[in-house]
Amino acid sequence: MAQEKTYATGRRKTAIARVWITPGSGKLAINKMELNDYFGNIFFEPKVAKPFAVTETMDQYDVMATVKGGGKSAQIDALVHGIARALQELNPEMRLPLKRAGLLTRDPRAKERKKYGQRGARARFQFSKR
């Protein structure tokens, strides 16, 4: 019998993380690279581990994810969102702790578009009375 894979998608700004979770030893592979090799900063490690810490499933699942779009910080947030959604899909009882921690809510904030007749999204061109 093949190992059971659970899939979920996480999003933040323009970053999209496609996440597959399988029972395992806690390995994280992002775009076929280790977490620290891809993101290059130890600061992100506790943030990525938060869904597992909240559900008390540390080192029980392997994560394989493909991340694209956005910057590194948005990609981390998309990855965390995807992991939380995959854990909820795997075990519906994990929904309440994940929801209380705010990990299932998709952050809707994104860059506001530039408008015509203006210098930016809200900034106007310089005005001169005389």
Side-chain angles (χ1 to χ4, degrees):
M1 184 178 128
Q3 277 192 333
E4 185 182 324
K5 279 188 177 183
T6 306
Y7 171 78
T9 306
R11 292 185 184 91
R12 170 76 172 98
K13 291 188 175 182
T14 57
I16 298 171
R18 300 180 332 166
V19 179
W20 289 269
I21 287 186
T22 54
S25 59
K27 288 189 290 184
L28 289 162
I30 289 89
N31 293 352
K32 299 181 182 174
M33 297 171 74
E34 291 276 329
L35 179 72
N36 291 335
D37 293 339
Y38 184 75
F39 290 111
N41 194 344
I42 204 84
F43 168 74
F44 293 126
E45 215 165 318
K47 197 168 188 179
V48 173
K50 190 172 181 186
F52 297 113
V54 167
T55 57
E56 298 169 3
T57 55
M58 209 61 121
D59 299 331
Q60 292 182 17
Y61 297 105
D62 290 341
V63 176
M64 202 280 289
T66 57
V67 184
K68 62 181 180 180
K72 295 291 183 187
S73 185
Q75 286 182 353
I76 283 286
D77 290 339
L79 180 64
V80 170
H81 186 230
I83 291 171
R85 288 175 77 175
L87 285 172
Q88 176 204 331
E89 187 77 25
L90 195 68
N91 184 357
E93 293 173 9
M94 294 182 188
R95 180 174 169 78
L96 192 61
L98 289 168
K99 188 76 174 166
R100 283 194 177 135
L103 298 172
L104 294 176
T105 307
R106 196 250 193 238
D107 192 347
R109 295 176 296 173
K111 186 175 179 177
E112 191 175 333
R113 69 173 284 266
K114 180 200 172 294
K115 280 82 168 189
Y116 56 86
Q118 298 178 16
R119 200 167 46 87
R122 299 200 178 181
R124 310 290 196 262
F125 289 117
Q126 189 170 359
F127 175 72
S128 174
K129 279 188 176 178
R130 291 174 191 88

